[in-house]
Structures are given as structure tokens and as C-alpha cells.
Amino acid sequence: EPEVTQTPSHQVTQMGQEVILRCVPISNHLYFYWYRQILGQKVEFLVSFYNNEISEKSEIFDDQFSVERPDGSNFTLKIRSTKLEDSAMYFCASSTRWDRGTQYFGPGTRLTVL
Amino acid sequence: GENVEQHPSTLSVQEGDSAVIKCTYSDSASNYFPWYKQELGKGPQLIIDIRSNVGEKKDQRIAVTLNKTAKHFSLHITETQPEDSAVYFCAVTGNQFYFGTGTSLTVIP
């Protein structure tokens, strides 16, 4: 069964550093998403991406965040200057264009900012 | 934006009993209501969903009911098993995807 994959599984970084989280969505999906889950809290929507541009974003997704599809398979989330409060699990998800509600999530990247 | 409330936050049931988790939402334009199961160290996995033109949907031991007038929907798990133990999230979609706060379900053997 096709699945969303994410790398790395755990990323540790110093405050102020840039990080790039990577995702490989399911191959025939056209919508891609990033979510954040702070430890013990609910999953929060960050951004959705379609046709090489952002389609929706939440208030959390400020100027320090950016997303990119650098090639035909990867979808990345960049955090420009990490803060302590960016420590969280980051989940990538993907869906078809026809059924955006049915999203398939990756296993997540745990980001720890020291 | 949408306000999704989920209750209870924790739920313990004996194996074989039923479990019910409820979510309420605020935006009457929302039209898709999935439920996700999240096991420790893993991403959320879709287990069942319902659309606004349907009142109830069932898949084996899992069912979801939707009351659009009252703006609430519920997850029902019957004949619970220890492997049902996980955190369950409801979600509501408009332009964005809003998750509930999660319910930690423990099934006691």
C-alpha cells in the first residue's frame, strides 16, 4: 500500500538555525500538507500546497516558514530561524485533488530546538 | 476559524465494552468529518469519515454519526479490543483542516 514517508525521523537543532524537513507524498496525490503537533496537544494545520503554490495557510505559518516542491517527488518544509517553541512533531500529508478531505499522513519528524 | 471541541479527553473501557467520543464544531459550512487514530510514535491514520449529506456510516466495529443541525458528530467503537487503545482525533474541514483536542482511549483487558 502506498504511504507518505518523512525524513529525518528526529532532528535536533540549535535555536536560530535553519531546518528543512522532507516528505515524499503518495505518488498520484496532488495536494500536500504540513501539520504540527506540540507534545501532548492536538494536531494543527500549517499549510496546504497545490500546483506549486500555497493554497491555504494558518496563522501559525508565518514568514519563518516556507514550503517547496523541489522536484517531482519531494515536498519540504523549511523553518528559517528556529525558536524553542518550534519543537514539535511535524507531519506531512497528501491527498488527491478530488478528495481533499481524505488525507494520508506520514510518520512525522520530531523537531527538537535547543 | 472553526472551533472543534472533543470529549472526553480520556476514556477507559473494559475489553468488549463500547466507547463513544463526541465532537462539536461551529462552522455550519463544514462538510467533511473524518476520525483519526494515532498510535504512539506514529502519524494520524484515517479510520472512518462522514460527509454532510449522510447521517451515519458504519465499518465493522466502528461507526460515525453526524447531526448537522446540532453540529456534532460521534465515533462509536463496539466490542473494544486492547489494540483499539490509542489517541483518537476528530477533524472538520472547510478550507482548512481543524483537529479536535484528542481522546486517549485505553481498553483494559
Side-chain angles (χ1 to χ4, degrees):
Chain A
E1 187 176 316
E3 57 183 18
V4 176
T5 60
Q6 290 184 243
T7 54
S9 56
H10 191 190
Q11 173 91 46
V12 181
T13 190
Q14 294 290 327
M15 188 170 59
Q17 295 296 304
E18 174 183 286
V19 295
I20 297 176
L21 310 183
R22 291 183 166 78
C23 167
V24 178
I26 293 173
S27 61
N28 65 337
H29 286 183
L30 296 178
Y31 267 93
F32 315 119
Y33 312 84
W34 282 102
Y35 293 84
R36 178 182 81 176
Q37 185 178 33
I38 295 170
L39 187 64
Q41 298 186 23
K42 66 180 176 181
V43 177
E44 298 173 292
F45 171 80
L46 293 178
V47 66
S48 62
F49 189 86
Y50 171 73
N51 201 26
N52 282 319
E53 60 183 28
I54 291 172
S55 53
E56 292 98 21
K57 61 181 182 177
S58 71
E59 294 172 352
I60 302 169
F61 194 86
D62 60 23
D63 291 344
Q64 70 163 336
F65 292 95
S66 62
V67 288
E68 191 179 33
R69 187 155 165 83
D71 53 46
S73 59
N74 288 283
F75 177 52
T76 62
L77 174 70
K78 181 190 292 185
I79 309 175
R80 249 177 283 281
S81 177
T82 50
K83 299 181 274 218
L84 295 176
E85 54 265 37
D86 293 328
S87 295
M89 282 290 286
Y90 287 82
F91 293 105
C92 172
S94 69
S95 72
T96 65
R97 182 158 59 109
W98 317 111
D99 188 5
R100 292 191 56 202
T102 304
Q103 298 182 16
Y104 295 85
F105 282 74
T109 292
R110 178 170 297 285
L111 176 65
T112 302
V113 182
L114 302 175
Chain B
E2 177 69 88
N3 182 29
V4 182
E5 295 191 0
Q6 183 172 343
H7 300 281
S9 57
T10 60
L11 179 60
S12 291
V13 298
Q14 291 289 331
E15 183 177 356
D17 288 350
S18 295
V20 180
I21 305 169
K22 183 176 176 178
C23 279
T24 61
Y25 61 99
S26 58
D27 186 355
S28 56
S30 297
N31 57 10
Y32 177 72
F33 309 92
W35 283 92
Y36 286 85
K37 177 182 181 182
Q38 187 176 25
E39 295 174 319
L40 198 62
K42 296 184 179 179
Q45 285 200 310
L46 179 70
I47 55 172
I48 196 167
D49 56 14
I50 193 166
R51 299 187 188 273
S52 59
N53 57 346
V54 176
E56 183 174 355
K57 183 176 178 180
K58 192 172 180 181
D59 182 5
Q60 298 183 345
R61 297 186 297 109
I62 296 173
V64 56
T65 58
L66 171 65
N67 184 327
K68 278 222 77 177
T69 305
K71 295 189 208 150
H72 65 74
F73 58 111
S74 299
L75 175 71
H76 305 255
I77 307 174
T78 58
E79 300 171 32
T80 53
Q81 301 166 2
E83 51 266 38
D84 295 329
S85 296
V87 179
Y88 291 82
F89 290 95
C90 64
V92 175
T93 54
N95 287 329
Q96 297 185 14
F97 220 63
Y98 298 93
F99 278 76
T101 47
T103 297
S104 178
L105 173 66
T106 302
V107 180
I108 304 165

